[in-house]
Amino acid sequence: MAASALLTGSPWLRMRLLPDAPARPFRHLHLRRSFSVRASGADGSPAPVRVRFAPSPTGNLHVGGARTALFNYLFARSKGGRFVLRVEDTDLERSTRKSEEAVLADLAWLGLDWDEGPDVGGDFGPYRQSERNSLYKQYAEKLLDSGAVYRCFCSSEELEQMKEVAKQRQLPPVYMGKWASASDAEVQQELEKGTPYTYRFRVPKEGSLKISDLIRGEVSWNLDTLGDFVIMRSNGQPVYNFCVTVDDATMQISHVIRAEEHLPNTLRQALIYKALGFAMPSFAHVSLILAPDRSKLSKRHGATSVGQYKNMGYLPQAMVNYLALLGWGDGTENEFFTIDDLGTVTLNFGAISFAVQKFTINRVNKSGAVFDATKLKWMNGQHLRSFPHDELIKAFEDRWTDTGILQESESGFAKEAAELLKDGIDLITDADAALTNLLSYPLHTTLSSEEAKPVVQDKISEVAWSLISAYDSGELGQALAEGRDGWQKWVKGFGKSIKRKGKGLFMPLRVLLTGKLHGPDMGGSIALIHKAGVCCAVTPQSNFVTLDERFRMLKDVDWESLAKEQETPAVPAAAS
């Protein structure tokens, strides 16, 4: 669709590129000393909501970018608006199609489906900046014709000299305006010589500009601190702030929700809006995501990209939930949300039901939010365990089979293992370690540990020989064959026979049978270990130690020597 049609054909926004009357040089236009503008329809009514997320495909999708995308998505959905995806790939040296595909894949994984974009199309395309150069040149020429911009023939050396002079005078490093007042003859002379030139925007030398930021309130700038800035480079490539303004205006973006680091760009963009006769969108600048030390979150703090968390086993539901809470809350103690919850909430009053906005921009905090990886992992566990029961069991089973811990089996082992271990697993990838840990038997390491000393000193050898006897007689094996119920019945009788109960019974039994001091329910653990030995569901790489092997190890322990070692006080390092 032609750019002019995009601008004039809209039912809600009439954007006049230039006055119908002959253009006057911009330096003669009257500019109020202070001005602010906002988006509205042709009839003064609020513009339909259109928001955009505009990633640069020069790397992975950072969690900060993902949160910005999420806030845009939620705002659009809560307002019944459109969520636009635009790829800002004007950095030709660093932008790659592979990076673009990765960013889009991460956004799709999070569930942020866009209404318009490079892969789905739309009425306001193209949706890649690299495909919109003719549009930028068209508007640059219009600004040149109106006098809003001028050709600047300064060399790199001259610009560096200006910076040095400004530095010596303790002034901001702004352009001194050498070519701002050049005559037509001087310009024509440089054109005939073929001197390279940029397009510079003519900034008023006095006055101020202010915007009403939806998060930060009123923000203002003095225009004399800016200086004339470049909108088109000498190689014909447009500058970021010019591209963004043209794109947001021609795509009829009503609200620009972005990171606070873009706040300084707003001044340049607002001036371009004004010069082209575009209505300004509403702005909302979101705080940065901070590391625990309150510095800007970066790679030195660990994983920072969505793709990394995806590969680590995090769920998209948990990422969305946690990112939404970084700087936003619904005003309650509730922290558990799905993406649908965040968009709208349905209220029912008898036979009448209606949806209300859950996510609102006025509840976004303007202070920085700290990224807590521990809380994210906890939240992932909450979402994982909220899966329907059958789906959760299947997820664990598929994981164990894919990683080679389990063999295909109809024994029901995987289901029992998932039931036993699920409450201690926050990441699906942690399921591997949870199961292999259950199947392992680090008896000697545990017995020689400082933590096991009270258990060993409580005559563990007596429990061990009685347990060995019960196993050799077949009594314990028969009980375990009956599952957890068989175990509970047996352990009750065993405790009576050796006159032990409670911790004095179960702690030594846990150490002797599992080789560990801690773990999930012991009855379920022992029943599962027994089942693994008879159903052949686990592979050799699971490091499984069978009950037969465990009891052989118990018989080989020199219990008398072990007890003496544990009774001997540790020798201080200095004395030794």
Side-chain angles (χ1 to χ4, degrees), residues 9-195:
S10 167
W12 62 272
L13 183 62
R14 304 297 181 192
M15 295 181 177
R16 245 181 344 110
L17 292 179
L18 295 166
D20 295 329
R24 295 178 296 166
F26 185 77
R27 56 179 174 271
H28 298 308
L29 292 177
H30 175 69
L31 179 70
R32 293 195 303 269
R33 299 184 68 86
S34 175
F35 70 90
S36 61
V37 283
R38 66 183 66 232
S40 63
D43 59 356
S45 61
V49 168
R50 286 179 57 83
V51 298
R52 50 76 166 176
F53 177 60
S56 176
T58 55
N60 298 320
L61 179 63
H62 189 274
V63 293
R67 185 189 62 168
T68 299
L70 174 63
F71 282 5
N72 275 279
Y73 172 87
L74 294 175
F75 186 76
R77 294 294 175 260
S78 67
K79 298 288 187 180
R82 304 277 287 178
F83 176 49
V84 178
L85 181 64
R86 184 176 73 226
V87 177
E88 297 186 344
D89 58 349
T90 50
D91 187 340
L92 301 179
E93 293 182 359
R94 298 173 59 218
S95 296
T96 67
R97 191 54 62 93
K98 182 179 180 181
S99 176
E100 177 188 320
E101 291 171 354
V103 170
L104 266 61
D106 286 344
L107 290 170
W109 177 74
L110 289 170
L112 308 184
D113 54 305
W114 45 96
D115 303 300
E116 301 170 29
D119 57 336
V120 297
D123 294 336
F124 297 86
Y127 292 91
R128 293 188 185 91
Q129 284 187 339
S130 60
E131 299 170 4
R132 298 170 64 85
N133 275 337
S134 60
L135 195 65
Y136 306 138
K137 290 176 181 177
Q138 174 188 340
Y139 288 123
E141 291 300 324
K142 288 183 180 295
L143 288 176
L144 181 66
D145 292 343
S146 72
V149 305
Y150 58 88
R151 295 182 179 91
C152 172
F153 297 90
C154 287
S155 65
S156 300
E157 292 75 16
E158 288 178 295
L159 295 174
E160 284 299 323
Q161 188 176 4
M162 289 181 195
K163 288 182 181 179
E164 188 61 33
V165 170
K167 183 178 180 182
Q168 291 173 359
R169 296 178 181 176
Q170 296 183 333
L171 297 172
V174 298
Y175 179 67
M176 300 298 186
K178 176 180 178 180
W179 287 93
S181 57
S183 66
D184 292 343
E186 289 174 308
V187 171
Q188 188 60 36
Q189 184 179 2
E190 295 300 323
L191 290 175
E192 291 174 356
K193 290 193 300 186
T195 306

Side-chain angles (χ1 to χ4, degrees), residues 223-244:
L223 297 176
D224 60 3
T225 63
L226 183 56
D228 296 351
F229 57 88
V230 174
I231 66 165
M232 294 284 283
R233 300 181 180 90
S234 58
N235 63 0
Q237 287 297 311
V239 171
Y240 168 79
N241 281 303
F242 184 56
C243 295
V244 168

Side-chain angles (χ1 to χ4, degrees), residues 306-509:
V306 171
Q308 285 175 298
Y309 284 103
K310 178 169 61 175
N311 293 336
M312 289 161 62
Y314 283 84
L315 299 169
Q317 299 94 321
M319 286 298 299
V320 164
N321 192 164
Y322 185 66
L323 290 175
L325 295 177
L326 287 178
W328 175 86
D330 70 344
T332 72
E333 296 297 317
N334 185 28
E335 291 188 315
F336 191 87
F337 300 103
T338 67
I339 195 167
D340 291 334
D341 293 337
L342 290 163
T344 56
V345 176
T346 301
L347 299 181
N348 296 296
F349 293 90
I352 303 174
S353 64
F354 57 91
V356 298
Q357 300 170 19
K358 188 69 171 176
F359 177 86
T360 54
I361 203 73
N362 63 351
R363 293 204 62 86
V364 175
N365 198 322
K366 64 182 178 181
S367 60
V370 175
F371 191 90
D372 185 345
T374 301
K375 185 168 184 178
L376 170 60
K377 188 173 182 179
W378 168 83
M379 186 165 285
N380 195 83
Q382 300 302 306
H383 278 274
L384 185 64
R385 286 181 284 277
S386 72
F387 277 21
H389 181 265
D390 291 344
E391 287 184 26
L392 182 62
I393 301 302
K394 185 68 165 55
F396 286 147
E397 184 173 6
D398 289 346
R399 173 73 190 181
W400 290 328
T401 302
D402 291 344
T403 53
I405 297 174
L406 284 187
Q407 303 182 87
E408 296 293 339
S409 172
E410 300 297 326
S411 64
F413 176 85
K415 181 179 180 180
E416 291 183 33
E419 289 279 9
L420 178 67
L421 300 172
K422 62 182 174 64
D423 289 339
I425 296 173
D426 287 333
L427 292 175
I428 194 68
T429 49
D430 289 349
D432 300 348
L435 183 56
T436 55
N437 181 62
L438 178 76
L439 298 173
S440 68
Y441 189 60
L443 177 68
H444 295 296
T445 301
T446 300
L447 288 175
S448 59
S449 68
E450 186 69 21
E451 190 180 1
K453 186 178 286 189
V455 181
V456 173
Q457 291 177 348
D458 188 23
K459 299 180 180 179
I460 194 173
S461 59
E462 294 180 3
V463 181
W465 289 117
S466 297
L467 183 63
I468 291 170
S469 176
Y471 187 74
D472 287 346
S473 69
E475 174 190 319
L476 177 56
Q478 184 177 347
L480 291 175
E482 298 174 13
R484 192 175 300 195
D485 291 341
W487 158 264
Q488 290 176 342
K489 182 179 179 181
W490 175 85
V491 78
K492 186 175 181 181
F494 181 73
K496 287 182 179 179
S497 68
I498 61 172
K499 298 181 180 179
R500 284 178 176 248
K501 61 181 179 179
K503 189 176 180 180
L505 170 64
F506 289 103
M507 280 305 294
L509 279 180

